[in-house]
Amino acid sequence: MTLFAVGITLYGLIEAGLTRNGEMPASLFVYGVLFGGLAVLAHLFIRFFAPWSDPLLLPLATLLNGLGIAMLWRLYEATGDTSNGSAMNQLILTAGSMAVFAAVVYFLKEPRTLQRYPYIMALSAVVLLLTPLIPGIGMSVNGAQQWLNLGFTTLQPSEFAKIALVIFLAGYMVTKRDVLALASRQIKIGPLKVLDLPRMRDTAPMAAMWGFCIIVLVILMNDLGTSLMLFGTFLAMIYVATHRGSWIAIGLTAFFGACALIYPLVPHFRVRMVTWLDAFRPDVFCTDKYLADPDSFCQTSGDSQQLVEGLFAMAEGGMTGTGLGGGKPGFVPEVHNDFIFMAFGEELGLAGCMVILLALALLVERGMRIALASKELFIKMFASGISFLIGFQSFVIIGGVTRVIPMTGATIPFVAKGGSALLSSWIMLALLMRMSNNARKPAPQAIQDEGATQVIQR
Amino acid sequence: MNKPIRRLALFTMALFGVLLLNISWIQTFQAESLREHPYNSRQFLKSLNQHRGSILVGSEEVAYSEPVGGDSERYQRHYENGPMYAPVVGAFRAGSATGIERAANSFLDGSNELLAVNNFRDMLTGEEPKGADVYLTVDSGAQQAAMDGLQSLGKNGAAVALNPQTGAVLASYSSPTYDPNSVASVTNTEEANQNWTELEASEQQPLLNRGLNQVYPPGSTFKVVTAATALENGATPESTQEAPASLDLGQPLPNAWDGPCNGGAPDSLAHSIEISCNTSMANWAIELGGQKLHDQASAFGFNQGPMEIPLPVNESSAPLETDPNILGRAGIGQANIQATPLQMALVAAGVANDGDVMKPYLIDSIQNSNLEEVKAAQPEVAFPDAVSSGTAEDLTRMMIGVTEGDEASGPAGAISGIDVAGKTGTAETGTGHTHNWFISFAPADDPQIAVAVVVENGDASGGAVAAPIAQDMMEAVINE
């Protein structure tokens, strides 16, 4: 299956090369050997060191990663513009990410050991999230203050912070589960139970999370995507831990309430909302001469141009797409970043988009299955948290670019360009696979010859 | 803990479900409208690399594409006699298109479904796809006469000519005009854009097609409609109305000259048309009533909403009026009467065509790149029996008086050797200036062309400035 995923990637490269230049990409061999080799290595590695892990996870990740590389190759090599990195760059980053992936799988034999350090994790998450605010190394890209400039490379620490945060939440909630789940004040109207309100002091983590997401991420850093993702994951995990709808009710109320409150105060937040709701309004789409001649095209782009051009790209693709290399993704500003999904939409059409969405959905559901199959509470929390994070992140970004929800900055796991996103995706995959391996590992057989000797598991 | 995890799994599934539904919706049902969205420049840029069909007048290619050459795959659009045909042909430029270039775009770029078979054949034979050619109904002689006439006056205005028997538009010129070549460059788009911006900003509004998209008070040319109302309602050309020097309609409504129309005696309908008497025609309108006038105007095409020929045409209006003061003025084409030059040409054409107003059209036929006709104009009646043929005959005779009568108000519209039916008009604009009109058709016994000419702020009589232009246009068609 992994080989199949590699094959699709190479086929993508060939098609793009043929369509663009009328010949096989010269570097096809290099890509084939490198990417194929990497995938095979990863596969073999898993065979040896996590043999019982879910067999579907690695091929899915390989497929998504490979499609990303093929699309980036098409976007960069075809235009000759490699100022933002290149497909080769992405391939090297993939290699690095896979190495880390292997290291995590190898060294982290028992993910539950992570349970021991919830507060260290919490602290590191917060520190990671805040580092971009440090003057000097903090960097703002396209308005969002979410990057670290380390001189030789740039990092997006939030990508890693979210993993740390999931670990912390899993650890914290397993310990506090009973309190969070049971201690409550019931609000009744007559004999009817309306809502189970948690005790005031138990809402502290919620409040902290809420305050952090809103104040720091949205107001200070203009990082709506991370904020939405983290808070969503937090809600999902607290729900899993407590099975209480009231937490979600409170969380959503607080979050949207805050959104409503800051709406008039935070300009960039307002811009996002307007862009989303009125994407096709002339003055949102365009800032120049839209009034003079509604028939002429926009010279100076407005806030929603990227979104609208993205939708046009998808429409251009239709059911089956223009074929890799056959589209004009250059119409969508910054298409290689957040809007890479639109490039797939244009060139692979509805069919290609479905493949990507289904691959992501399968990945998430297999992750959820791991959570179900695991026996330990911490692992259950951890696996479901990671899975939800992958799924929700996909939803936030793809929903954003297809105008289901307001656009926020986020990356499609495995597909999107960039080291941080890729690395964190592979780390998440490594964690899932390790947990999957442990959950599915058959219990050691009792050695029948020894009679009734009790086998003590673990 | 498994139950919430299952629920969470279902929830994420639902999220993906939402995404799937949404992209399916976008890429199937919404795709078409998104592709054709006015902001979508993809189609346009794609079309820059297509061999676009030509637009022809007669056998002359007035708009055609040629490869830019060099490395570029683009085609450059060229316009022969650009300024002359710009009001009809429009311009295909980096940004969008106007005129026929826009209205017939799907044929010119080959995307129309009528061309699908041909495109498919081209694909099989490996031939480079080429859009269809659009043949216009425009007569180069009439169009030239219209341009020459308006340009030599140096005034803004418009001239529209129709074939009254078919509705084919023989001329549609609007002054001032512009050269589409100056805005159509695909190699120097910056300058082209700048030229366009200047055209847009110009106070003279060279981009406005005055023949189709500007409404004016039609002035005395509207008396044809008032006379038609009277004839349809039992009057004869000999029926009379009081025709004093001035009527008191809130404010005095005088004649165009000092004095009554028939030496103080009631004036006949025929004579009132010939000399363009204001007071008697206002009396006719008041006597007939607002409803009848409104109905008759509607029968000629007023109040019928915008048209597409396929260029968009604005609505002309003759609202239902009950106040006799306003109604009197409406009867002579003032007050609330608003007409496009095309509409007044339709009035003339309706009279010329025994009372049936034909639907105007600009595209004669469309030929695909294999020279097969994919579409041909089918003349159809737009407004049948606008007047009865008897009324049409009476009106024709009365209008001949305008160019040939003893006291003719528009002798400049006459052509020696044939009868020309015409009507002059001098419309007050409320600014102290007058717009000068002439509508006509000829030959009166076998009409080949119906014309409406308007000269903005001509400050003369319609017979003096507009009639000669109409005359040249008629001659150009008749002498062919």
Side-chain angles (χ1 to χ4, degrees):
Chain A
M1 269 219 285
T2 310
L3 285 177
F4 180 64
V6 174
I8 290 184
T9 304
L10 295 183
Y11 178 73
L13 282 171
I14 293 172
E15 194 193 336
L18 284 177
T19 319
R20 296 294 313 178
N21 311 324
E23 57 188 14
M24 303 276 273
S27 46
L28 179 69
F29 184 71
V30 181
Y31 279 91
V33 168
L34 281 181
F35 189 67
L38 280 174
V40 169
L41 273 181
H43 181 78
L44 290 177
F45 179 83
I46 290 304
R47 269 291 157 87
F48 280 104
F49 294 101
W52 287 285
S53 63
D54 193 315
L56 206 55
L57 292 175
L58 185 64
L60 285 171
T62 313
L63 173 70
L64 290 167
N65 198 335
L67 280 175
I69 291 179
M71 182 51 87
L72 285 173
W73 184 86
R74 178 256 175 279
L75 290 178
Y76 286 126
E77 307 300 310
T79 56
D81 172 24
T82 53
S83 53
N84 280 309
S86 65
M88 188 46 83
N89 204 339
Q90 179 82 350
L91 186 59
I92 293 166
L93 290 174
T94 305
S97 303
M98 280 187 174
V100 175
F101 160 81
V104 171
V105 172
Y106 183 78
F107 288 111
L108 191 70
K109 285 277 190 295
E110 286 297 342
R112 71 192 149 124
T113 51
L114 292 172
Q115 191 179 1
R116 292 176 206 152
Y117 324 106
Y119 293 100
I120 295 179
M121 286 296 167
L123 191 66
S124 52
V126 170
V127 169
L128 279 173
L129 281 171
L130 289 180
T131 42
L133 285 178
I134 302 170
I137 58 168
M139 216 169 85
S140 170
V141 175
N142 298 333
Q145 184 85 29
Q146 58 178 63
W147 292 81
L148 272 189
N149 190 351
L150 299 181
F152 60 98
T153 182
T154 55
L155 264 183
Q156 209 178 348
S158 63
E159 293 283 350
F160 306 102
K162 63 193 186 190
I163 302 178
L165 197 81
V166 169
I167 298 175
F168 156 69
L169 287 174
Y172 175 84
M173 283 180 191
V174 166
T175 1
K176 295 283 165 72
R177 182 167 175 242
D178 292 341
V179 169
L180 292 173
L182 301 175
S184 72
R185 250 182 338 172
Q186 292 189 346
I187 294 184
K188 287 183 177 176
I189 298 177
L192 275 172
K193 193 179 85 175
V194 180
L195 201 59
D196 246 351
L197 276 187
R199 288 181 309 181
M200 220 41 161
R201 60 181 163 177
D202 293 334
T203 57
M206 166 82 83
M209 192 73 197
W210 172 84
F212 189 78
C213 282
I214 295 294
I215 296 171
V216 178
L217 292 176
V218 176
I219 298 182
L220 289 180
M221 298 164 82
N222 185 16
D223 193 354
L224 291 169
T226 308
S227 165
L228 189 58
M229 242 152 52
L230 292 186
F231 201 74
T233 308
F234 169 73
L235 282 186
M237 290 183 74
I238 205 169
Y239 175 72
V240 169
T242 63
H243 197 189
R244 271 171 66 172
S246 59
W247 280 112
I248 295 182
I250 296 167
L252 290 181
T253 315
F255 193 75
F256 288 115
C259 287
L261 273 180
I262 63 171
Y263 181 79
L265 302 175
V266 184
H268 61 77
F269 182 67
R270 206 162 53 228
V271 166
R272 300 273 174 142
M273 290 303 285
V274 170
T275 303
W276 173 52
L277 291 172
D278 296 323
F280 286 89
R281 212 171 71 191
D283 60 321
V284 177
F285 176 72
C286 188
T287 50
D288 60 355
K289 44 185 261 178
Y290 66 93
L291 284 175
D293 178 12
D295 293 335
S296 67
F297 299 121
C298 185
Q299 312 283 331
T300 318
S301 52
D303 292 323
S304 73
Q305 193 166 50
Q306 194 180 24
L307 185 61
V308 169
E309 286 291 354
L311 292 176
F312 287 157
M314 294 203 74
E316 197 65 26
M319 296 281 276
T320 51
T322 59
L324 255 179
K328 290 198 169 21
F331 271 86
V332 187
E334 292 281 312
V335 68
H336 48 269
N337 284 334
D338 296 3
F339 275 72
I340 196 165
F341 191 73
M342 301 338 238
F344 284 109
E346 178 172 10
E347 307 211 320
L348 299 180
L350 182 56
C353 286
M354 286 209 165
V355 167
I356 291 177
L357 280 180
L358 288 180
L360 285 167
L362 263 178
L363 201 60
V364 173
E365 295 309 305
R366 298 303 280 206
M368 292 288 185
R369 201 174 262 270
I370 295 168
L372 287 176
S374 298
K375 292 173 196 71
E376 290 164 74
L377 291 184
F378 174 74
I379 300 294
K380 274 180 180 301
M381 292 287 301
F382 193 10
S384 57
I386 292 276
S387 310
F388 183 78
L389 185 59
I390 296 176
F392 195 57
Q393 184 175 346
S394 310
F395 177 75
V396 167
I397 174 63
I398 298 178
V401 296
T402 54
R403 217 174 156 220
V404 175
I405 57 171
M407 214 181 83
T408 58
T411 49
I412 308 179
F414 296 105
V415 179
K417 182 192 85 116
S420 315
L422 209 53
L423 183 54
S424 70
S425 299
W426 278 100
I427 291 177
M428 290 194 281
L429 187 78
L431 292 169
L432 278 182
M433 290 192 75
R434 174 45 76 190
M435 290 188 272
S436 152
N437 183 66
N438 292 357
R440 290 158 50 118
K441 182 156 61 180
Q445 287 290 311
I447 304 165
Q448 297 301 321
D449 291 350
E450 301 255 328
T453 307
Q454 190 74 39
V455 173
I456 300 164
Q457 193 185 342
R458 291 207 199 103
Chain B
M1 200 179 270
N2 281 355
K3 201 168 168 191
I5 294 180
R6 275 202 195 92
R7 287 214 178 140
L8 191 63
L10 274 179
F11 175 68
T12 35
M13 274 290 92
L15 289 184
F16 277 105
V18 169
L19 291 181
L20 276 176
L21 281 179
N22 184 51
I23 59 168
S24 306
W25 172 252
I26 292 174
Q27 299 201 289
T28 54
F29 297 107
Q30 241 190 343
E32 190 71 25
S33 66
L34 278 176
R35 273 182 225 140
E36 281 162 15
H37 196 278
Y39 295 160
N40 195 340
S41 52
R42 284 163 177 270
Q43 300 302 313
F44 176 76
L45 287 173
K46 206 191 279 171
S47 66
L48 286 184
N49 294 349
Q50 272 172 345
H51 196 165
R52 196 171 168 83
S54 301
I55 300 174
L56 296 97
V57 168
S59 57
E60 181 194 7
E61 286 185 325
V62 296
Y64 58 94
S65 290
E66 267 181 359
V68 167
D71 290 339
S72 177
E73 291 174 18
R74 291 189 171 177
Y75 286 87
Q76 175 65 55
R77 200 75 167 150
H78 296 281
Y79 295 93
E80 289 296 326
N81 276 325
M84 181 163 121
Y85 292 112
V88 178
V89 169
F92 181 76
R93 53 184 207 90
S96 64
T98 53
I100 289 288
E101 292 275 28
R102 180 190 186 89
N105 184 54
S106 69
F107 288 103
L108 291 165
D109 73 8
S111 65
N112 192 286
E113 55 190 21
L114 289 176
L115 302 169
V117 176
N118 190 51
N119 289 346
F120 184 64
R121 215 162 37 196
D122 281 350
M123 198 181 77
L124 288 185
T125 56
E127 226 171 291
E128 191 199 12
K130 185 175 180 296
D133 293 338
V134 172
Y135 287 79
L136 299 182
T137 55
V138 171
D139 180 282
S140 58
Q143 184 81 4
Q144 182 83 51
M147 179 166 88
D148 292 348
L150 282 165
Q151 274 190 350
S152 64
L153 282 176
K155 305 269 188 190
N156 294 354
V160 176
L162 300 166
N163 179 335
Q165 295 169 17
T166 60
V169 178
L170 298 175
S172 174
Y173 181 75
S174 173
S175 179
T177 183
Y178 64 99
D179 186 357
N181 290 307
S182 70
V183 296
S185 173
V186 297
T187 47
N188 191 351
T189 49
E190 209 160 300
E191 192 191 322
N193 273 330
Q194 199 186 333
N195 288 342
W196 182 261
T197 314
E198 278 168 23
L199 288 175
E200 276 179 329
S202 167
E203 278 182 23
Q204 301 293 313
Q205 293 187 280
L207 298 177
L208 173 67
N209 190 337
R210 292 172 160 78
L212 313 181
N213 303 126
Q214 179 72 301
V215 289
Y216 302 92
S220 300
T221 56
F222 192 75
K223 286 174 185 165
V224 175
V225 178
T226 310
T229 318
L231 293 170
E232 287 287 283
N233 287 286
T236 66
E238 286 71 42
S239 305
T240 57
Q241 285 285 348
E242 292 294 330
S246 175
L247 281 185
D248 180 22
L249 300 177
Q251 303 225 321
L253 173 78
N255 283 316
W257 55 89
D258 292 329
C261 295
N262 194 19
D267 196 20
S268 73
L269 196 53
H271 189 250
S272 296
I273 290 291
E274 179 179 329
I275 65 169
S276 200
C277 178
N278 283 348
T279 49
S280 62
M281 293 313 291
N283 278 332
W284 275 113
I286 294 165
E287 181 182 308
L288 291 162
Q291 184 68 50
K292 286 175 180 162
L293 193 67
H294 172 80
D295 289 349
Q296 184 60 57
S298 301
F300 274 117
F302 284 82
N303 314 314
Q304 305 280 2
M307 266 191 288
E308 282 187 357
I309 67 168
L311 298 189
V313 180
N314 288 34
E315 181 182 37
S316 301
S317 57
L320 181 56
E321 190 54 63
T322 49
D323 181 343
N325 288 346
I326 300 176
L327 187 55
R329 293 176 196 279
I332 61 165
Q334 299 282 169
N336 49 19
I337 308 291
Q338 296 279 318
T340 58
L342 176 79
Q343 177 57 54
M344 291 320 293
L346 285 174
V347 170
V351 175
N353 194 37
D354 278 341
D356 288 334
V357 180
M358 303 300 289
K359 188 174 173 358
Y361 60 92
L362 263 163
I363 297 179
D364 186 57
S365 64
I366 293 168
Q367 277 187 4
N368 68 21
S369 54
N370 291 327
L371 304 180
E372 295 157 343
E373 193 169 84
V374 291
K375 203 177 178 195
Q378 304 289 337
E380 47 182 305
V381 183
F383 307 110
D385 296 318
V387 290
S388 68
S389 56
T391 301
E393 250 171 68
D394 288 342
L395 284 172
T396 304
R397 224 172 303 126
M398 289 155 61
M399 286 168 74
I400 293 175
V402 172
T403 61
E404 297 180 8
D406 299 334
E407 298 171 73
S409 52
I415 302 171
S416 67
I418 51 176
D419 288 338
V420 175
K423 182 69 198 85
T424 56
T426 305
E428 305 278 345
T429 58
T431 59
H433 296 286
T434 58
H435 293 334
N436 306 121
W437 282 85
F438 194 73
I439 65 170
S440 64
F441 60 90
D445 50 356
D446 174 28
Q448 294 171 29
I449 176 170
V451 186
V453 176
V454 64
V455 178
E456 285 181 22
N457 303 324
D459 294 334
S461 77
V465 292
I469 300 173
Q471 183 210 26
D472 286 346
M473 293 169 71
M474 289 186 289
E475 276 185 324
V477 170
I478 294 166
N479 292 342
E480 254 169 23

